[in-house]
Amino acid sequence: MTFLGFDKKDWLHKKLLVDEDKEKIQCLTNALFVDPNDGRVWQELGNRHADFDQEKALYCWSNALKSYLGRLEKFKDDAKKYSKDSTHLLFMDVYSSNVISEIASMYFALGSVYTNLEKYSLAVDAYKTSCTLEFDSDCLYYSASALYELKEYEKAEQLISENIGVTDDYKSHYLLGSIFWMQNEIDSSQKSYWNCIYKADTDAESCHYKSMAYGMLGNYQKKEYYLKKGFQIEPNNPQRALSLIEYYEENGDYNMTQKYYKKLHMLHKEQTREQKKDVIKNE
């Protein structure tokens, strides 16, 4: 995939036009050759590598973190300069609504990459700062998710309940169900899992959450059904295959486990082959 004269914007636009994950990865990689300091591109590239190569994903996320922190330091520096001379054309008005919105967005992205790196306390702080600058119900959801990982269930329950008051989506109900479960509030937990099932749609991600909710409710036939349905919708998504492998391993079904291991192996093999082709093209 060689396009002479393409700038970062061109590569990011082309990424939206291609279907295969390997092509999107190559577009993101090419965009970083043009601008190696774009944290959002580094993070998305890490997210896409995460399904196949955790080491590459961690490398990308670490670069995203450096970029976000550097950008926020620049905002702080501009704030100091602006406070001393607000008439200087080179100094950014950091108190304008559009700049505050950008800073809030940067803290949200920072929270996301901290979550990817499993630094949950720092993620909570970043999401809290983002929400203070500009309210976004997603901050409540992801903060609650990080608090759940930290086993701070009461705080997590408070935030996700507030989030449900705004969005009322299936992912939030599933998280609330898990929080109730960890606090041994079984009736409330089951109610939340049913809410998740009722509110979920028919896409692959919805099927994944339905499968998890049915599993927590003890209906393993439905859990298997929705795991398979999610894989049918997204057969090239390794996470769908992994979920089925974990399910069959837990249930001692060797034949089905091997079946989906083979499918996962083929996905990884195809990904590796395409990456090698791209390296040869770019040499």
Side-chain angles (χ1 to χ4, degrees):
M1 192 187 296
T2 55
F3 296 84
L4 295 176
F6 267 38
D7 60 16
K8 183 179 76 171
K9 185 177 180 181
D10 294 325
W11 284 118
L12 295 180
H13 177 68
K14 183 167 182 60
K15 183 207 68 173
L16 301 175
L17 303 178
V18 296
D19 295 324
E20 295 294 325
D21 199 57
K22 61 182 180 293
E23 294 176 309
K24 292 182 182 293
I25 286 175
Q26 189 59 52
C27 287
L28 292 167
T29 302
N30 290 344
L32 287 169
F33 277 122
V34 180
D35 180 7
N37 297 313
D38 192 319
R40 297 186 188 281
V41 178
W42 275 115
Q43 186 169 6
E44 183 177 351
L45 185 59
N47 293 346
R48 292 188 178 279
H49 276 308
D51 289 336
F52 300 97
D53 192 325
Q54 191 66 15
E55 187 175 340
K56 284 184 179 179
L58 290 172
Y59 173 78
C60 292
W61 291 332
S62 295
N63 277 294
L65 179 61
K66 291 177 185 176
S67 175
Y68 292 147
L69 292 174
R71 181 65 174 148
L72 288 169
E73 279 300 314
K74 180 65 170 61
F75 278 124
K76 290 178 182 178
D77 186 53
D78 279 349
K80 291 178 182 177
K81 291 177 179 178
Y82 184 79
S83 65
K84 293 178 181 179
D85 184 2
S86 62
T87 63
H88 201 298
L89 295 177
L90 295 178
F91 300 158
M92 184 186 302
D93 180 2
V94 294
Y95 303 108
S96 63
S97 59
N98 61 319
V99 175
I100 289 175
S101 181
E102 185 178 352
I103 295 173
S105 175
M106 194 64 59
Y107 270 108
F108 185 92
L110 188 64
S112 180
V113 78
Y114 275 137
T115 298
N116 288 341
L117 295 169
E118 299 183 1
K119 298 181 178 181
Y120 299 113
S121 293
L122 293 172
V124 172
D125 291 341
Y127 287 129
K128 182 178 180 180
T129 301
S130 177
C131 206
T132 300
L133 292 168
E134 185 176 70
F135 178 77
D136 183 344
S137 62
D138 282 346
C139 286
L140 301 175
Y141 173 82
Y142 289 110
S143 293
S145 297
L147 287 166
Y148 175 83
E149 295 294 338
L150 292 168
K151 297 182 171 56
E152 296 186 28
Y153 300 123
E154 290 185 7
K155 291 181 181 178
E157 180 187 340
Q158 180 180 351
L159 288 181
I160 201 62
S161 296
E162 187 178 345
N163 171 263
I164 288 173
V166 178
T167 60
D168 197 28
D169 70 324
Y170 67 93
K171 292 183 181 180
S172 299
H173 282 285
Y174 181 84
L175 178 56
L176 182 59
S178 299
I179 293 167
F180 281 137
W181 182 267
M182 295 306 295
Q183 296 180 99
N184 204 33
E185 297 180 31
I186 306 304
D187 289 343
S188 296
S189 176
Q190 291 181 338
K191 180 180 178 181
S192 293
Y193 287 134
W194 278 115
N195 282 333
C196 168
I197 291 166
Y198 292 143
K199 293 178 183 297
D201 209 332
T202 57
D203 58 282
E205 188 74 358
S206 291
C207 288
H208 178 70
Y209 273 84
K210 283 182 181 180
S211 72
M212 293 193 297
Y214 273 119
M216 293 303 295
L217 291 167
N219 189 333
Y220 298 107
Q221 185 176 4
K222 285 284 190 179
K223 178 176 182 177
E224 181 185 13
Y225 171 80
Y226 280 106
L227 284 173
K228 284 184 173 181
K229 190 172 182 180
F231 182 80
Q232 289 169 359
I233 296 170
E234 290 184 344
N236 295 321
N237 186 334
Q239 285 300 128
R240 307 297 171 221
L242 275 171
S243 295
L244 280 160
I245 288 168
E246 290 172 1
Y247 173 78
Y248 288 120
E249 281 183 337
E250 289 172 359
N251 289 276
D253 191 329
Y254 175 79
N255 291 331
M256 293 300 288
T257 299
Q258 288 301 110
K259 174 182 176 179
Y260 285 98
Y261 260 125
K262 288 178 181 178
K263 292 180 182 293
L264 182 63
H265 175 71
M266 291 304 296
L267 286 173
H268 282 203
K269 190 175 180 180
E270 177 65 19
Q271 177 74 5
T272 302
R273 181 165 54 244
E274 292 300 328
Q275 286 177 346
K276 287 181 179 178
K277 285 182 182 179
D278 290 331
V279 169
I280 292 171
K281 285 181 183 178
N282 291 327
E283 285 181 345

